Amino acid sequence: MMQQPAATPVNITPTINLADHGMNATAFRHGCTTMESDKYISVKDTGADGSAQVIVVDMHNGNAVNKRPMKAEATLMNPAENIIALKAVTEGTSGQFVQVFNLDTKAKLGVYQSPENIQYWKWITPRILALVCEKDVYHWNLEVANSAPEKMFARAGKLAEAGTQVISYAANSSLTWCLLTAISTQDQGKTIDGNMQLYSVEKKQQQMLEGHAGCFGDLRVTDDPAAAGLFAFSERKVGTQQTKLHIMDISKTTAFKVQAEVQMPPEAPGDFAVALHLSEKHGVIYMITKAGFLLMFDVATGSMLVRTRVSQDSIFISTYSQRTGGCIFINRKGAVTSVAVNESAIVSYVMNQLVQLPNRQDIAFNLARRFGMPGADELFQRQFSQYFASGDYKNAATVAAQCKSGLLRTPQTIQQFKSVQAPAGQSSPILHYFSTLLEYGKLNALESVELCQPVVQQGRRELVEKWLKEDKLECTEELGDIVKAMDTKFALSIYLRAGTHPKVIQCFVAQGQIDQIVAYAKKVGYQADYSQLLQGMVASNPEGATNFAKALIEGKDGVPLIDINAVVKVFMDQNRLQETTSILLDALKANRPDQAALQTQLLAMNLQQAPKVAEAILQMNMFTHYDRAYIGQLCEKAGLMQWAMEHYSDTSDLKRVMLHAHSMTPEFLINYFSKLAPETAIECLYDLMRHNRQNLNVAVQVAIKYHEQIGAMKIVEMFESFGSNEGVFYFLGAILSSSTDADVHFRYIRAASRCGNMQEVERVCRESTCYDPVVVKNFLKEAKLPDPRPLIYVCDLHDHVEELTDYLYKNSLMKYIEVYVVKVNPLKCPQVAGALIDLDCSEDFIKNLLQNVRSACPIEPLVAEVEKRNRLRVLLPWLEARVAEGNQDPHLHNAMAKILIDTNRDPESFLKNNAFYDSATVGKYCEDRDPHLAYTAYKRAWGSCDEQLVDVTNRNGLFRLQARYLVERQSAELWDLALKPDNQYRRNVIDQVVSTALPESSNADEVSATVKAFIGADLPNELIELLEKIVLHKSADFSKNRNLQNLLILTAIKADKSRVMDYINRLDNYDGPEIAKIALGDPYCLFEEAFLIYKKSDLNSEAMEVLLTNIDSIERAQEFAARCNESKVWYKLGRAQLEHGNVPEAIDSYLKAEDATDYAEVIRAAKVEENYDELVRYLTMARNKAKDQLIDTELVYSFAKAERLAEMEEFTSGTNTANIQAVGDRLFDEGAYKAAKSLYQSNSNNAKLAMCHVQLGE
């Protein structure tokens, strides 16, 4: 970074150029760029893809740039922490909402919905956010969870007006004063006016000021060490360019108040301040101007010390820097610059360069002594000498204390004050000197010793304690030695601060703070002779020595301060096993390989002298690197058999120790087997069972836990080799739920049966799905158990019902047959019944069995089983009982229907009236027995058996029944089936429909459906035949039916044109216009028929159109028009006559129609034919129908051409719209001068009139 030369009074340092990091220049303005401190800059910008983003620059972290996508309209970083405030608008809600997040912890600190728009916001402390709204100013304390902003004051005066822009807000450190600053313009930006509102929170009063910038700060303005609470602002009245700087103490600590006129740069006389910053570190005030100038003033006098340009571009934002005591600002191009006092040069600069300031020496001296800046040592020396020489020892001491360079803090100065005798009744100068130094700061080493010697001699303990607490003394070994005579505790404190390690340890020992010795040694890295210390402590304080030794071994950063072997030797030399054990346990807890010998030593010592302690250590499982074989032998000698087994690995050792299994817990043995190889484990199980049969329980538990590793079948064989069915039973019972091995399940069933546990046999047979049913079934059959229920469950679950029935029947276990079908599984009753029939069981038993099962027996499979054995009648009582219960199962009623059909017990009534049987099934059953019954069954289905019905009626010649069904069903799909072309029986069906089925029907929907079917099947001749039968030869039910009449005529038009005229004459309830349109169209061209339809329908205009357009007969048209005498008809005739050139006849027709629509065509045709008399008649009618200049003009012309001049003159003299001049010119050109003369006379055209007189020879 560039650094200004050392001689300059201020250091100007470029910090970062935001534009170099891809930020848009449009973002460098108020509202988009914010900077609350010297830590963060926040920029609201737009990315390359147009997305909204926030860019945060951390100036405390090497100007690290962090970009985040964010849709908020504004952001504000916290001045001290990684906390961001976001501002946005909620759609549909007035005002704005603010959210505050901690970006490190991801915690939401607060949310607030403001009813007003927030025009400005600022962090006034790290936890208080100020919100300046349209009307009021709020403070939001985010230290309090779920808090809401508190209103501080209302905007007043100029700042309450809508045209002002808020540019700054500030509060003093105690938050008792607030300052709101805004700018406005009255001349469209030529001049910028500034207004400020200073508000007292305590008094709730405000003062309106005129100016552009202000600030608060706490700093010294007098020799009093206490800081004054200052307020500074730059004042500029509206309409002037004079700027004044005001600085005052608003805390009333002092009566300080100064003001000074500010000379703006000559090159920018209209420039104004945009920010003020009070430097509490250096005692100056910085003024940043809009044009880019820095002005620096002495706070105590208001004198300007520096004026220099720091930016060529406008500055829009700045902030105070706590780090440098200066300020940071940003200009419109995104350049960030830091400005701070050059401490090494400012004092000499003021003294030597600011010759225009008469008080520059005082200013420089005050800056040096109040704010500790170098460069005034000569002044300090001179003033000290003057005061001392004059006997003003107090001020001399003050000067010495204020000289921060230490020039006067020397032994000579102390001796100088000592040499002076105190005046009578006053304290000595040396005491004045020391008290002044204490007031201003901390004493150096020599001063501390000189002050404390007499104090200790006087026993003033409280003074030493006070100075140590306030850190007023520089601690040294010499000072500690002096204080030790009075208080060891104070001496320790001094030794600790001075870093005198041996003296510190002596104090700890003297005070009995043994644990502090190691902590201190580790902290400072000091190495002492600890072995000697320990030897002396073991006898007198074993517990303290133990703790001391542990701390020494722990050492610093993992490096021990003493060798552990030396510690063991010290303690064991004095036979301190317990303490040695404690130390080693703590020291060896890391369980490192290099500690193997110590681990072995620890365990061996305790196994030989304290076996229970050794067992406890082993139970902690802390160590893994010791000599396991040696420790195992010691464990066996000590009687710790379990631990011996833990440490042995040789099989012979294990078997030898296992003979003492009775002294071991079952849990241990069970867990120990996990460490053995499967082969060794099975050998040990054999040994356990062979040595003592009472080990069965342990063997079973081991087998259960490790059967997957050892093998379940090997374990079973082991138990069986000792004839232990109980072992097999308990072992397999425990693993049964997790095993899917069929052999395991079978052996468990077998073991349970041999142990007599029939309930378990029954349970497994019922619940298990893993055994082989055939193997288990055969075993149970061979075992011939007294209770066959396990066999029943096996056969039931695995569908060996017939075999079960056979077994129970042949072993006379009839009761269990009934138990099975009634209580166990009624759903298997059909198979049982079928098997009993096959076994020639008596029908009474079967019927009784069914009656006991009742409705629980499934109907369909029962009927199927019995029916395939031709014994359906056996079920009749059971079926009738179910019917009586109201059962609607189709299979039940199918069976009933089949029995009734076979026994001929009025089956037709059943088929017609029963609503529950399946028509398809029963119909199929009837087809070979009685086709009529099949038809009845299929018809009852009403749609679902249509194909079967058509098929059975076709095969058996029941065409009349089929025809009636087709008509009644009204199904288009069924009709398509019956009338399809490849149906060889179609003609038979059609004949029956036409002759019988349809004439019998009186249902219009049936007729309509039938007709549609015939149309769909493309049977026009048959359709005509059908329709004639309905419409022309039937009763009045359908003879007047409009749809049928339409259909009859249309069908004839398409299929038999010769009948159309007859139908038109005979029928009178059809849709004439629509039918006529069809008759006229291609390919029929039935013009006469269409004419007759229109005529019969009284649609004379359409009839005339047919005569003229299609038949093309003017003569018939004239006759028809004369007979109708309708205006529309005459009009159509007139137009046709006009097109044929019959102008007089056409005009006559138009006159009868009284229609002048075609007047232009009539005029044109009449003029061609020179039919002016007829045209006069037409135009006379036309001008009553239409108002057009052409009609009147042509009427005048026609009068003239017909030589009806009197009528013409009469017409022109009346009201008309004729163009007389144009008609006159036409007549003159055609030589009709007499008529033209009359027209020129009427419109007073004398020139043309004269020409007519000439032509007429008048």
Side-chain angles (χ1 to χ4, degrees):
M1 295 189 296
M2 290 180 58
Q3 186 72 28
Q4 295 294 323
T8 59
V10 291
N11 292 328
I12 304 171
T13 309
T15 301
I16 185 175
N17 193 328
L18 302 177
D20 294 343
H21 293 268
M23 302 179 211
N24 295 314
T26 55
F28 305 141
R29 57 185 175 87
H30 273 294
C32 289
T33 299
T34 58
M35 180 172 60
E36 295 294 281
S37 68
D38 58 4
K39 183 170 177 61
Y40 293 115
I41 300 173
S42 175
V43 182
K44 184 73 175 67
D45 199 6
T46 303
D49 58 353
S51 61
Q53 62 179 358
V54 171
I55 304 170
V56 177
V57 180
D58 188 347
M59 292 183 285
H60 287 188
N61 186 24
N63 294 329
V65 178
N66 188 356
K67 298 183 180 181
R68 291 184 177 88
M70 203 169 289
K71 295 183 179 179
E73 65 178 31
T75 62
L76 197 69
M77 288 299 294
N78 187 277
E81 300 179 64
N82 195 15
I83 292 172
I84 191 169
L86 308 175
K87 181 174 66 175
V89 176
T90 303
E91 189 173 347
T93 305
S94 61
Q96 293 171 308
F97 75 90
V98 178
Q99 292 181 309
V100 182
F101 293 94
N102 187 319
L103 296 177
D104 290 334
T105 64
K106 311 301 181 186
K108 183 186 290 185
L109 304 183
V111 179
Y112 173 62
Q113 175 67 51
S114 170
E116 303 178 50
N117 285 334
I118 300 170
Q119 296 185 344
Y120 189 82
W121 55 346
K122 184 172 182 63
W123 290 99
I124 54 175
T125 74
R127 278 295 183 273
I128 297 179
L129 182 62
L131 304 175
V132 181
C133 298
E134 295 169 335
K135 298 179 181 178
D136 302 308
V137 177
Y138 298 86
H139 285 185
W140 187 9
N141 187 357
L142 292 160
E143 195 72 56
V144 181
N146 302 318
S147 64
E150 176 187 358
K151 178 180 174 180
M152 302 306 294
F153 61 93
R155 294 171 62 173
K158 190 71 175 177
L159 286 94
E161 297 180 6
T164 60
Q165 178 188 353
V166 177
I167 61 169
S168 175
Y169 182 76
N172 66 342
S173 60
S174 59
L175 301 180
T176 56
W177 290 89
C178 306
L179 180 69
L180 181 64
T181 307
I183 57 174
S184 60
T185 181
Q186 299 179 5
D187 51 11
Q188 288 74 47
K190 294 180 181 178
T191 58
I192 304 298
D193 301 327
N195 295 92
M196 293 182 283
Q197 182 178 354
L198 180 65
Y199 181 78
S200 171
V201 176
E202 295 173 340
K203 298 179 180 179
K204 299 190 183 304
Q205 294 178 351
Q206 61 198 15
Q207 181 178 355
M208 307 307 296
L209 306 173
E210 291 184 272
H212 296 83
C215 64
F216 298 97
D218 299 320
L219 53 90
R220 293 173 58 195
V221 290
T222 66
D223 288 342
D224 190 340
L230 300 184
F231 166 57
F233 71 96
S234 67
E235 179 187 45
R236 177 179 288 185
K237 301 289 186 180
V238 176
T240 71
Q241 291 191 351
Q242 182 182 11
T243 301
K244 287 185 179 181
L245 176 64
H246 296 267
I247 310 171
M248 63 194 72
D249 183 358
I250 57 173
S251 67
K252 304 305 181 185
T253 304
T254 66
F256 176 77
K257 184 174 183 180
V258 298
Q259 69 176 34
E261 288 194 15
V262 179
Q263 296 298 322
M264 287 294 171
E267 59 266 42
D271 198 8
F272 60 88
V274 294
L276 285 181
H277 302 292
L278 273 165
S279 175
E280 300 176 356
K281 183 177 181 181
H282 297 133
V284 298
I285 185 166
Y286 302 97
M287 178 185 289
I288 305 294
T289 72
K290 185 176 188 297
F293 286 89
L294 167 70
L295 283 69
M296 188 172 78
F297 304 88
D298 173 43
V299 172
T301 63
S303 302
M304 183 188 296
L305 306 180
V306 174
R307 184 179 69 197
T308 183
R309 188 156 205 162
V310 292
S311 173
Q312 297 300 318
D313 297 284
S314 296
I315 297 171
F316 70 94
I317 191 171
S318 72
T319 187
Y320 180 67
S321 174
Q322 290 286 354
R323 277 187 165 186
T324 65
C327 62
I328 301 177
F329 58 84
I330 307 174
N331 66 17
R332 290 292 185 184
K333 289 190 176 179
V336 183
T337 306
S338 173
V339 175
V341 167
N342 186 349
E343 295 180 355
S344 63
I346 185 66
V347 173
S348 61
Y349 173 82
V350 172
M351 286 194 300
N352 301 322
Q353 301 296 325
L354 300 183
V355 294
Q356 72 274 18
L357 297 178
N359 59 340
R360 63 183 182 278
Q361 297 288 335
D362 293 337
I363 293 173
F365 188 53
N366 286 333
L367 287 175
R369 63 198 183 92
R370 291 174 186 166
F371 302 100
M373 288 185 281
D377 287 351
E378 185 180 345
L379 289 175
F380 279 109
Q381 183 68 58
R382 189 185 312 151
Q383 280 213 355
F384 175 79
S385 299
Q386 289 175 357
Y387 283 132
F388 203 91
S390 64
D392 189 351
Y393 305 119
K394 184 173 182 179
N395 280 327
T398 301
V399 171
Q402 290 175 342
C403 182
K404 303 299 182 183
S405 66
L407 174 72
L408 300 174
R409 305 277 290 274
T410 63
Q412 292 77 15
T413 303
I414 296 174
Q415 196 60 39
Q416 195 173 352
F417 274 100
K418 276 184 173 183
S419 65
V420 179
Q421 293 294 324
Q426 297 183 15
S427 57
S428 67
I430 188 65
L431 287 180
H432 272 303
Y433 178 64
F434 284 134
S435 62
T436 303
L437 293 181
L438 287 171
E439 185 179 345
Y440 275 87
K442 185 176 180 179
L443 305 185
N444 60 30
L446 177 62
E447 293 163 348
S448 300
V449 170
E450 290 288 343
L451 175 62
C452 288
Q453 275 180 337
V455 171
V456 170
Q457 291 171 2
Q458 296 171 15
R460 301 289 300 274
R461 184 177 183 277
E462 70 281 0
L463 289 177
V464 177
E465 182 178 9
K466 175 176 179 291
W467 294 333
L468 287 173
K469 282 184 178 179
E470 294 175 355
D471 194 26
K472 293 290 187 179
L473 305 175
E474 183 175 336
C475 296
T476 61
E477 184 176 356
E478 184 180 1
L479 179 63
D481 293 341
I482 292 170
V483 174
K484 187 176 182 182
M486 181 177 66
D487 193 322
T488 306
K489 179 180 177 183
F490 288 163
L492 176 60
S493 175
I494 294 170
Y495 290 143
L496 285 169
R497 299 184 195 185
T500 311
H501 308 317
K503 294 289 181 75
V504 170
I505 291 175
Q506 288 176 13
C507 288
F508 280 139
V509 172
Q511 293 182 353
Q513 296 177 323
I514 306 302
D515 54 335
Q516 296 295 328
I517 297 175
V518 178
Y520 176 75
K522 285 196 294 185
K523 182 177 180 181
V524 301
Y526 178 67
Q527 185 69 36
D529 187 359
Y530 295 115
S531 296
Q532 188 175 358
L533 282 172
L534 276 175
Q535 285 176 352
M537 291 174 62
V538 169
S540 61
N541 187 1
E543 183 179 354
T546 302
N547 294 331
F548 185 34
K550 289 180 180 178
L552 289 172
I553 293 169
E554 184 178 346
K556 179 184 178 183
D557 299 328
V559 178
L561 300 175
I562 190 171
D563 181 47
I564 189 170
N565 293 297
V567 173
V568 172
K569 184 177 185 307
V570 168
F571 278 86
M572 289 307 294
D573 284 349
Q574 300 187 36
N575 199 26
R576 289 288 180 178
L577 176 62
Q578 182 178 348
E579 289 79 3
T580 307
T581 300
S582 175
I583 292 169
L584 286 175
L585 283 174
D586 195 61
L588 302 178
K589 60 187 177 184
N591 190 26
R592 300 198 308 268
D594 60 317
Q595 298 171 340
L598 287 170
Q599 292 179 3
T600 305
Q601 184 180 357
L602 171 63
L603 291 170
M605 286 189 305
N606 282 281
L607 282 168
Q608 291 165 351
Q609 299 182 43
K612 289 189 176 181
V613 175
E615 185 175 14
I617 296 172
L618 290 169
Q619 286 174 346
M620 289 190 289
N621 196 25
M622 291 175 60
F623 309 128
T624 58
H625 302 292
Y626 57 86
D627 186 341
R628 298 185 66 84
Y630 174 59
I631 297 301
Q633 292 172 6
L634 293 179
C635 286
E636 187 175 358
K637 289 178 182 178
L640 302 177
M641 296 301 175
Q642 292 185 180
W643 290 108
M645 286 191 69
E646 288 280 6
H647 289 79
Y648 284 140
S649 57
D650 186 79
T651 304
S652 60
D653 292 334
L654 292 173
K655 289 184 176 182
R656 181 182 71 253
V657 177
M658 198 168 286
L659 295 177
H660 301 277
H662 59 278
S663 65
M664 307 177 198
T665 63
E667 293 77 12
F668 168 77
L669 280 173
I670 293 167
N671 292 330
Y672 185 76
F673 268 84
S674 65
K675 304 174 183 179
L676 302 179
E679 297 77 11
T680 306
I682 194 68
E683 289 179 19
C684 289
L685 283 175
Y686 272 101
D687 288 344
L688 279 176
M689 290 294 294
R690 187 181 299 111
H691 183 260
N692 190 345
R693 294 297 293 272
Q694 292 181 352
N695 291 330
L696 174 63
N697 185 36
V698 173
V700 168
Q701 293 185 52
V702 170
I704 291 169
K705 190 164 186 178
Y706 305 110
H707 69 277
E708 292 183 357
Q709 294 86 346
I710 300 172
M713 297 317 298
K714 288 183 179 180
I715 294 171
V716 171
E717 290 170 1
M718 183 271 296
F719 283 121
E720 288 180 346
S721 68
F722 295 103
S724 179
N725 288 319
E726 292 86 352
V728 176
F729 175 70
Y730 291 125
F731 164 61
L732 293 181
I735 70 168
L736 196 68
S737 60
S738 62
S739 173
T740 58
D741 189 330
D743 197 25
V744 167
H745 285 252
F746 166 67
R747 288 181 183 245
Y748 179 71
I749 292 170
R750 186 173 68 184
S753 64
R754 289 174 178 174
C755 290
N757 195 333
M758 300 310 298
Q759 289 184 339
E760 194 63 14
V761 175
E762 182 181 334
R763 182 189 70 80
V764 177
C765 290
R766 181 176 66 249
E767 297 176 2
S768 174
T769 59
C770 300
Y771 58 78
D772 185 336
V774 176
V775 173
V776 174
K777 177 196 67 178
N778 292 337
F779 166 72
L780 293 174
K781 286 172 68 176
E782 292 170 3
K784 291 191 179 291
L785 301 176
D787 187 343
R789 276 181 290 186
L791 177 64
I792 290 174
Y793 287 123
V794 171
C795 294
D796 175 61
L797 291 171
H798 301 282
D799 206 24
H800 297 295
V801 177
E802 289 83 359
E803 192 171 350
L804 171 66
T805 305
D806 182 77
Y807 175 83
L808 295 175
Y809 182 77
K810 291 181 177 178
N811 286 278
S812 301
L813 298 171
M814 308 299 283
K815 182 182 91 169
Y816 284 101
I817 295 177
E818 186 174 343
V819 169
Y820 172 58
V821 297
V822 173
K823 295 183 178 180
V824 178
N825 194 351
L827 298 178
K828 298 295 185 180
C829 184
Q831 292 172 258
V832 172
L836 289 173
I837 292 173
D838 292 340
L839 292 168
D840 290 329
C841 180
S842 71
E843 287 190 4
D844 291 339
F845 179 79
I846 296 172
K847 290 178 180 179
N848 187 55
L849 186 67
L850 291 173
Q851 290 298 345
N852 289 335
V853 179
R854 300 177 62 82
S855 58
C857 177
I859 297 170
E860 181 182 4
L862 177 64
V863 171
E865 289 288 339
V866 176
E867 186 176 7
K868 69 183 180 182
R869 292 172 172 83
N870 292 320
R871 299 285 293 276
L872 200 56
R873 295 185 187 181
V874 173
L875 300 180
L876 185 59
W878 184 82
L879 295 172
E880 290 175 339
R882 301 290 77 72
V883 172
E885 292 173 354
N887 193 309
Q888 299 178 2
D889 189 294
H891 301 95
L892 170 67
H893 293 272
N894 289 349
M896 283 294 298
K898 291 176 182 178
I899 293 172
L900 294 177
I901 291 167
D902 289 341
T903 58
N904 197 23
R905 290 171 54 185
D906 195 11
E908 187 167 0
S909 174
F910 179 86
L911 296 178
K912 288 181 179 179
N913 299 323
N914 187 283
F916 308 117
Y917 69 87
D918 180 53
S919 296
T921 302
V922 175
K924 184 68 177 175
Y925 188 78
C926 293
E927 282 187 10
D928 297 331
R929 292 167 173 78
D930 188 338
H932 284 83
L933 291 178
Y935 166 79
T936 302
Y938 289 144
K939 180 180 179 182
R940 171 259 191 194
W942 202 251
S944 60
C945 297
D946 285 350
E947 292 185 9
Q948 295 94 316
L949 185 145
V950 170
D951 179 64
V952 75
T953 52
N954 281 343
R955 286 190 285 105
N956 294 281
L958 304 176
F959 301 116
R960 181 174 298 177
L961 294 176
Q962 184 184 145
R964 287 173 177 159
Y965 181 72
L966 289 170
V967 172
E968 291 174 14
R969 267 280 289 128
Q970 305 177 42
S971 168
E973 294 79 8
L974 180 59
W975 275 112
D976 290 343
L977 176 65
L979 297 179
K980 61 183 180 180
D982 58 350
N983 182 8
Q984 60 179 327
Y985 305 106
R986 182 169 77 161
R987 184 69 250 178
N988 305 80
V989 175
I990 292 172
D991 291 344
Q992 289 301 321
V993 170
V994 173
S995 63
T996 305
L998 202 59
E1000 290 177 354
S1001 174
S1002 59
N1003 187 320
D1005 292 335
E1006 292 178 354
V1007 173
S1008 176
T1010 305
V1011 169
K1012 288 179 181 177
F1014 273 65
I1015 294 172
D1018 194 21
L1019 300 170
N1021 294 318
E1022 290 80 357
L1023 180 60
I1024 290 174
E1025 180 184 356
L1026 177 68
L1027 291 173
E1028 282 188 347
K1029 191 130 187 169
I1030 299 171
V1031 177
L1032 300 179
H1033 305 300
K1034 204 173 174 245
S1035 65
D1037 289 339
F1038 298 108
S1039 60
K1040 297 298 183 181
N1041 187 286
R1042 177 179 293 272
N1043 291 333
L1044 294 178
Q1045 291 192 12
N1046 289 341
L1047 189 58
L1048 179 58
I1049 296 173
L1050 289 173
T1051 306
I1053 288 172
K1054 295 176 182 178
D1056 191 351
K1057 298 182 179 61
S1058 62
R1059 302 191 185 193
V1060 176
M1061 190 64 78
D1062 179 50
Y1063 292 158
I1064 292 171
N1065 286 316
R1066 295 179 64 181
L1067 302 175
D1068 54 11
N1069 192 28
Y1070 50 84
D1071 294 322
E1074 287 76 9
I1075 294 175
K1077 288 177 185 177
I1078 295 170
L1080 285 172
D1082 290 332
Y1084 312 118
C1085 299
L1086 301 177
F1087 303 137
E1088 292 295 343
E1089 287 80 353
F1091 171 71
L1092 180 60
I1093 292 171
Y1094 282 135
K1095 180 179 176 183
K1096 193 171 181 179
S1097 302
D1098 289 330
L1099 299 173
N1100 295 325
S1101 177
E1102 288 78 357
M1104 174 60 79
E1105 190 70 32
V1106 172
L1107 285 174
L1108 296 173
T1109 304
N1110 302 105
I1111 300 177
D1112 194 20
S1113 174
I1114 294 293
E1115 292 78 9
R1116 289 180 62 184
Q1118 288 175 336
E1119 294 175 6
F1120 182 69
R1123 187 162 54 250
C1124 295
N1125 198 25
E1126 291 181 5
S1127 175
K1128 289 184 178 180
V1129 175
W1130 281 117
Y1131 170 75
K1132 287 182 179 289
L1133 177 60
R1135 186 167 186 81
Q1137 290 171 331
L1138 187 66
E1139 291 172 354
H1140 283 78
N1142 301 331
V1143 178
E1145 294 83 354
I1147 289 175
D1148 188 58
S1149 296
Y1150 279 128
L1151 288 171
K1152 291 178 180 178
E1154 295 185 356
D1155 191 320
T1157 304
D1158 302 332
Y1159 62 84
E1161 291 88 341
V1162 172
I1163 291 170
R1164 190 162 44 250
K1167 285 166 66 176
V1168 172
E1169 298 294 330
E1170 296 187 352
N1171 298 123
Y1172 292 108
D1173 286 318
E1174 290 80 0
L1175 184 58
V1176 167
R1177 292 167 54 216
Y1178 177 77
L1179 292 176
T1180 302
M1181 177 274 294
R1183 73 188 302 268
N1184 293 324
K1185 302 293 183 182
K1187 302 300 181 183
D1188 191 342
Q1189 186 182 41
L1190 176 64
I1191 295 174
D1192 285 2
T1193 301
E1194 292 300 328
L1195 180 56
V1196 171
Y1197 180 76
S1198 298
F1199 276 132
K1201 294 298 285 185
E1203 298 183 356
R1204 295 163 65 172
L1205 299 183
E1207 294 178 59
M1208 181 187 74
E1209 291 174 1
E1210 180 182 358
F1211 178 77
T1212 56
S1213 63
T1215 303
N1216 65 83
T1217 60
N1219 189 341
I1220 302 299
Q1221 180 64 40
V1223 175
D1225 291 344
R1226 282 167 60 191
L1227 292 172
F1228 182 86
D1229 293 339
E1230 293 175 0
Y1233 303 118
K1234 188 174 181 180
K1237 181 185 74 170
S1238 177
L1239 294 177
Y1240 289 143
Q1241 283 177 341
S1242 66
N1243 69 346
S1244 303
N1245 190 338
N1246 295 326
K1248 287 287 187 176
L1249 182 60
M1251 293 175 66
C1252 289
H1253 284 302
V1254 170
Q1255 293 295 333
L1256 292 171
E1258 297 177 346

